[in-house]
Amino acid sequence: ELAALYRVVQLFGWDDLVFTHISVRLPDEDGAPRFLINPYGIFFEEMTASSLIKIDTDGNKLDESPYSANAAGFTIHSAVHMARHDAGCVLHLHSRYGIAVSAQEKGLRRYSQHAMQVHGDLAYHDYEGIAFNLEERERLQADIGEKSCLMLRNHGTLTMGPNCAIAFTRMYYLERACEIQVLAQADENLREESEDMGARVHQQTAPLWIPGLGDKLVWPGLMRRLARENPGWEV
Protein backbone atom coordinates (compact mmCIF):
# COMPACT_ATOMS: atom_id res chain seq x y z
CA GLU A 1 0.00 0.00 0.00
CA LEU A 2 2.86 2.41 0.72
CA ALA A 3 4.47 1.78 -2.66
CA ALA A 4 1.07 2.27 -4.27
CA LEU A 5 0.56 5.53 -2.41
CA TYR A 6 3.81 6.93 -3.78
CA ARG A 7 2.56 6.21 -7.28
CA VAL A 8 -0.85 7.73 -6.49
CA VAL A 9 0.84 10.93 -5.30
CA GLN A 10 2.63 11.17 -8.64
CA LEU A 11 -0.63 10.39 -10.44
CA PHE A 12 -2.16 13.48 -8.82
CA GLY A 13 0.88 15.63 -9.69
CA TRP A 14 1.89 16.15 -6.06
CA ASP A 15 5.45 14.79 -6.27
CA ASP A 16 8.60 16.91 -6.03
CA LEU A 17 11.19 14.68 -7.70
CA VAL A 18 12.47 12.61 -4.73
CA PHE A 19 12.29 15.36 -2.11
CA THR A 20 9.21 14.51 -0.09
CA HIS A 21 8.35 11.38 1.82
CA ILE A 22 5.57 9.09 2.91
CA SER A 23 6.27 6.82 5.86
CA VAL A 24 4.51 3.85 7.42
CA ARG A 25 5.09 2.50 10.90
CA LEU A 26 5.93 -1.20 11.09
CA PRO A 27 5.53 -3.47 14.14
CA ASP A 28 8.22 -2.75 16.73
CA GLU A 29 11.32 -4.95 16.77
CA ASP A 30 12.92 -5.65 20.17
CA GLY A 31 10.78 -2.87 21.59
CA ALA A 32 12.06 -0.29 19.08
CA PRO A 33 9.92 1.43 16.43
CA ARG A 34 10.60 0.61 12.78
CA PHE A 35 9.39 2.40 9.66
CA LEU A 36 9.26 2.13 5.87
CA ILE A 37 10.18 5.10 3.68
CA ASN A 38 11.32 5.82 0.12
CA PRO A 39 15.00 5.74 -0.85
CA TYR A 40 16.81 8.36 -2.86
CA GLY A 41 17.31 7.38 -6.48
CA ILE A 42 13.76 6.22 -7.26
CA PHE A 43 11.00 8.50 -8.51
CA PHE A 44 7.54 8.16 -7.03
CA GLU A 45 6.08 6.66 -10.21
CA GLU A 46 8.77 3.94 -10.07
CA MET A 47 8.27 2.96 -6.43
CA THR A 48 7.88 -0.74 -5.63
CA ALA A 49 7.36 -2.56 -2.35
CA SER A 50 10.84 -4.11 -2.54
CA SER A 51 12.55 -0.73 -3.06
CA LEU A 52 11.25 0.74 0.20
CA ILE A 53 13.79 1.03 3.00
CA LYS A 54 13.33 -0.02 6.64
CA ILE A 55 14.68 2.60 9.05
CA ASP A 56 14.77 3.41 12.76
CA THR A 57 13.57 6.54 14.56
CA ASP A 58 16.67 8.48 13.52
CA GLY A 59 16.33 7.49 9.86
CA ASN A 60 19.17 4.98 9.87
CA LYS A 61 18.89 2.23 7.25
CA LEU A 62 18.28 -1.20 8.80
CA ASP A 63 18.26 -3.51 5.79
CA GLU A 64 20.30 -4.16 2.68
CA SER A 65 19.57 -1.80 -0.18
CA PRO A 66 21.62 -0.31 -3.01
CA TYR A 67 19.90 3.00 -2.27
CA SER A 68 20.47 5.51 0.51
CA ALA A 69 17.99 6.66 3.10
CA ASN A 70 17.52 10.35 3.84
CA ALA A 71 17.85 10.73 7.61
CA ALA A 72 17.09 14.46 7.48
CA GLY A 73 13.96 13.79 5.44
CA PHE A 74 12.63 11.61 8.23
CA THR A 75 12.96 14.30 10.93
CA ILE A 76 9.45 15.61 10.40
CA HIS A 77 7.96 12.14 10.03
CA SER A 78 9.68 10.78 13.11
CA ALA A 79 8.34 13.67 15.19
CA VAL A 80 4.79 12.73 14.24
CA HIS A 81 5.25 8.97 14.58
CA MET A 82 6.91 9.33 18.01
CA ALA A 83 4.16 11.55 19.41
CA ARG A 84 1.13 10.00 17.76
CA HIS A 85 0.61 6.27 17.98
CA ASP A 86 -2.44 6.68 15.71
CA ALA A 87 -0.10 7.82 12.92
CA GLY A 88 0.25 4.59 10.99
CA CYS A 89 1.02 6.59 7.85
CA VAL A 90 2.45 10.11 7.53
CA LEU A 91 2.26 11.88 4.16
CA HIS A 92 4.24 15.08 3.47
CA LEU A 93 4.14 17.11 0.24
CA HIS A 94 5.72 20.15 -1.41
CA SER A 95 2.85 20.86 -3.79
CA ARG A 96 2.46 24.22 -5.53
CA TYR A 97 -0.93 25.08 -4.08
CA GLY A 98 -0.11 23.72 -0.63
CA ILE A 99 3.05 25.83 -0.42
CA ALA A 100 1.21 28.86 -1.79
CA VAL A 101 -1.38 28.70 1.00
CA SER A 102 1.27 27.90 3.62
CA ALA A 103 2.89 31.25 2.72
CA GLN A 104 -0.34 33.18 3.35
CA GLU A 105 -0.49 34.80 6.79
CA LYS A 106 -4.06 33.65 7.46
CA GLY A 107 -3.45 30.15 6.13
CA LEU A 108 -6.36 28.03 4.94
CA ARG A 109 -9.68 29.88 4.87
CA ARG A 110 -13.21 28.49 4.88
CA TYR A 111 -13.80 29.36 1.23
CA SER A 112 -14.93 25.89 0.15
CA GLN A 113 -16.60 22.75 1.41
CA HIS A 114 -13.29 20.97 0.87
CA ALA A 115 -11.58 23.41 3.23
CA MET A 116 -14.24 23.05 5.90
CA GLN A 117 -13.87 19.28 5.85
CA VAL A 118 -10.31 19.60 7.21
CA HIS A 119 -10.21 23.13 8.64
CA GLY A 120 -11.05 22.06 12.19
CA ASP A 121 -8.35 19.39 12.11
CA LEU A 122 -5.54 21.62 10.80
CA ALA A 123 -2.52 22.87 12.77
CA TYR A 124 0.38 25.15 11.75
CA HIS A 125 4.14 24.93 12.27
CA ASP A 126 6.50 27.85 11.59
CA TYR A 127 9.38 27.40 9.19
CA GLU A 128 12.76 26.59 10.79
CA GLY A 129 14.81 25.86 7.67
CA ILE A 130 15.47 22.44 6.13
CA ALA A 131 14.69 19.89 8.82
CA PHE A 132 18.21 18.88 9.85
CA ASN A 133 17.81 19.86 13.51
CA LEU A 134 16.34 17.05 15.62
CA GLU A 135 15.42 19.60 18.31
CA GLU A 136 12.70 20.86 15.97
CA ARG A 137 10.78 17.64 16.59
CA GLU A 138 9.56 18.78 20.02
CA ARG A 139 8.20 22.04 18.64
CA LEU A 140 6.54 20.26 15.75
CA GLN A 141 4.92 17.78 18.15
CA ALA A 142 3.63 20.63 20.31
CA ASP A 143 2.19 22.42 17.28
CA ILE A 144 0.37 19.46 15.78
CA GLY A 145 -1.07 18.34 19.11
CA GLU A 146 -4.11 16.17 18.45
CA LYS A 147 -4.70 17.41 14.90
CA SER A 148 -4.30 15.15 11.88
CA CYS A 149 -3.37 17.79 9.27
CA LEU A 150 -0.46 20.20 9.41
CA MET A 151 0.46 23.26 7.39
CA LEU A 152 4.24 23.68 7.41
CA ARG A 153 4.68 27.42 6.89
CA ASN A 154 6.48 28.34 3.63
CA HIS A 155 7.14 24.63 3.14
CA GLY A 156 4.19 22.35 2.44
CA THR A 157 1.47 20.12 3.83
CA LEU A 158 1.31 17.01 5.99
CA THR A 159 -1.42 14.56 6.90
CA MET A 160 -1.54 11.39 8.93
CA GLY A 161 -3.88 8.46 9.31
CA PRO A 162 -4.08 4.96 10.74
CA ASN A 163 -3.35 3.67 7.24
CA CYS A 164 -2.36 4.86 3.76
CA ALA A 165 -5.95 5.23 2.59
CA ILE A 166 -7.04 7.66 5.29
CA ALA A 167 -3.79 9.66 5.19
CA PHE A 168 -4.34 10.04 1.43
CA THR A 169 -7.99 11.07 1.76
CA ARG A 170 -7.09 13.77 4.28
CA MET A 171 -4.39 15.03 1.94
CA TYR A 172 -6.78 15.05 -1.00
CA TYR A 173 -9.17 17.39 0.81
CA LEU A 174 -6.35 19.59 2.13
CA GLU A 175 -4.63 19.89 -1.24
CA ARG A 176 -7.87 20.47 -3.15
CA ALA A 177 -8.87 23.13 -0.60
CA CYS A 178 -5.53 24.91 -1.15
CA GLU A 179 -5.97 24.79 -4.92
CA ILE A 180 -9.50 26.19 -4.70
CA GLN A 181 -8.33 28.98 -2.39
CA VAL A 182 -5.55 30.09 -4.73
CA LEU A 183 -7.93 30.07 -7.70
CA ALA A 184 -10.63 31.93 -5.77
CA GLN A 185 -8.17 34.65 -4.81
CA ALA A 186 -8.21 35.86 -8.40
CA ASP A 187 -11.29 37.77 -7.16
CA GLU A 188 -10.80 40.01 -4.14
CA ASN A 189 -14.47 39.76 -3.09
CA LEU A 190 -14.43 36.40 -1.37
CA ARG A 191 -17.11 34.89 0.84
CA GLU A 192 -15.83 32.92 3.84
CA GLU A 193 -18.17 30.69 5.80
CA SER A 194 -18.46 31.11 9.56
CA GLU A 195 -16.60 29.13 12.18
CA ASP A 196 -19.90 27.50 13.16
CA MET A 197 -20.48 26.33 9.58
CA GLY A 198 -16.93 25.08 9.38
CA ALA A 199 -17.41 23.08 12.58
CA ARG A 200 -20.68 21.63 11.23
CA VAL A 201 -19.12 20.47 7.95
CA HIS A 202 -16.09 19.07 9.77
CA GLN A 203 -18.39 17.02 12.01
CA GLN A 204 -20.39 15.80 9.01
CA THR A 205 -17.13 14.55 7.50
CA ALA A 206 -16.11 12.54 10.59
CA PRO A 207 -17.06 9.12 9.08
CA LEU A 208 -14.35 9.59 6.43
CA TRP A 209 -11.68 9.06 9.08
CA ILE A 210 -13.04 5.85 10.62
CA PRO A 211 -10.91 2.78 9.73
CA GLY A 212 -13.02 0.19 8.00
CA LEU A 213 -15.33 2.87 6.59
CA GLY A 214 -13.40 5.85 5.26
CA ASP A 215 -10.66 3.70 3.79
CA LYS A 216 -13.22 1.72 1.77
CA LEU A 217 -14.73 4.72 -0.03
CA VAL A 218 -11.90 5.86 -2.31
CA TRP A 219 -8.89 3.58 -1.90
CA PRO A 220 -10.21 0.49 -3.79
CA GLY A 221 -11.02 2.62 -6.81
CA LEU A 222 -7.63 4.28 -6.65
CA MET A 223 -5.96 0.86 -6.71
CA ARG A 224 -7.96 -0.15 -9.80
CA ARG A 225 -7.04 3.13 -11.49
CA LEU A 226 -3.38 2.63 -10.61
CA ALA A 227 -3.49 -0.93 -11.92
CA ARG A 228 -4.69 0.43 -15.27
CA GLU A 229 -2.34 3.38 -15.53
CA ASN A 230 0.84 2.40 -13.68
CA PRO A 231 0.90 -1.24 -12.54
CA GLY A 232 3.73 -3.10 -10.86
CA TRP A 233 4.09 -1.47 -7.43
CA GLU A 234 3.62 -4.79 -5.60
CA VAL A 235 6.94 -6.38 -6.56
Side-chain angles (χ1 to χ4, degrees), residues 160-208:
M160 72 180 77
N163 52 44
C164 291
I166 291 178
F168 167 82
T169 305
R170 282 194 170 108
M171 184 60 78
Y172 173 82
Y173 282 106
L174 178 56
E175 284 290 329
R176 184 55 60 91
C178 290
E179 181 179 359
I180 292 167
Q181 178 164 319
V182 171
L183 293 173
Q185 287 169 332
D187 188 327
E188 62 183 19
N189 298 310
L190 294 174
R191 173 190 173 95
E192 182 173 16
E193 292 292 344
S194 67
E195 290 187 11
D196 287 345
M197 181 58 72
R200 178 191 300 181
V201 174
H202 178 66
Q203 182 60 39
Q204 290 173 326
T205 310
L208 282 173

Side-chain angles (χ1 to χ4, degrees), residues 5-17 20 22 44 91-98 157 159 167-176 179:
L5 182 52
Y6 275 101
R7 294 193 184 204
V8 168
V9 164
Q10 188 275 331
L11 201 63
F12 278 75
W14 296 341
D15 53 329
D16 182 21
L17 298 176
T20 57
I22 315 166
F44 282 21
L91 169 54
H92 168 46
L93 301 178
H94 297 161
S95 72
R96 289 170 294 178
Y97 294 110
T157 53
T159 59
F168 167 82
T169 305
R170 282 194 170 108
M171 184 60 78
Y172 173 82
Y173 282 106
L174 178 56
E175 284 290 329
R176 184 55 60 91
E179 181 179 359

Side-chain angles (χ1 to χ4, degrees), residues 86-152:
D86 57 333
C89 176
V90 177
L91 169 54
H92 168 46
L93 301 178
H94 297 161
S95 72
R96 289 170 294 178
Y97 294 110
I99 295 172
V101 173
S102 79
Q104 296 178 18
E105 189 63 39
K106 292 184 178 181
L108 187 67
R109 312 307 300 167
R110 296 179 298 275
Y111 292 152
S112 67
Q113 178 172 279
H114 285 73
M116 288 183 280
Q117 288 176 292
V118 294
H119 191 276
D121 200 23
L122 178 63
Y124 292 83
H125 176 68
D126 287 343
Y127 188 65
E128 298 189 28
I130 296 175
F132 294 132
N133 184 4
L134 293 180
E135 294 179 0
E136 184 180 354
R137 294 194 294 199
E138 292 185 7
R139 294 183 289 275
L140 197 150
Q141 290 166 346
D143 286 339
I144 198 167
E146 298 301 315
K147 306 290 188 183
S148 297
C149 302
L150 182 66
M151 189 76 71
L152 297 152

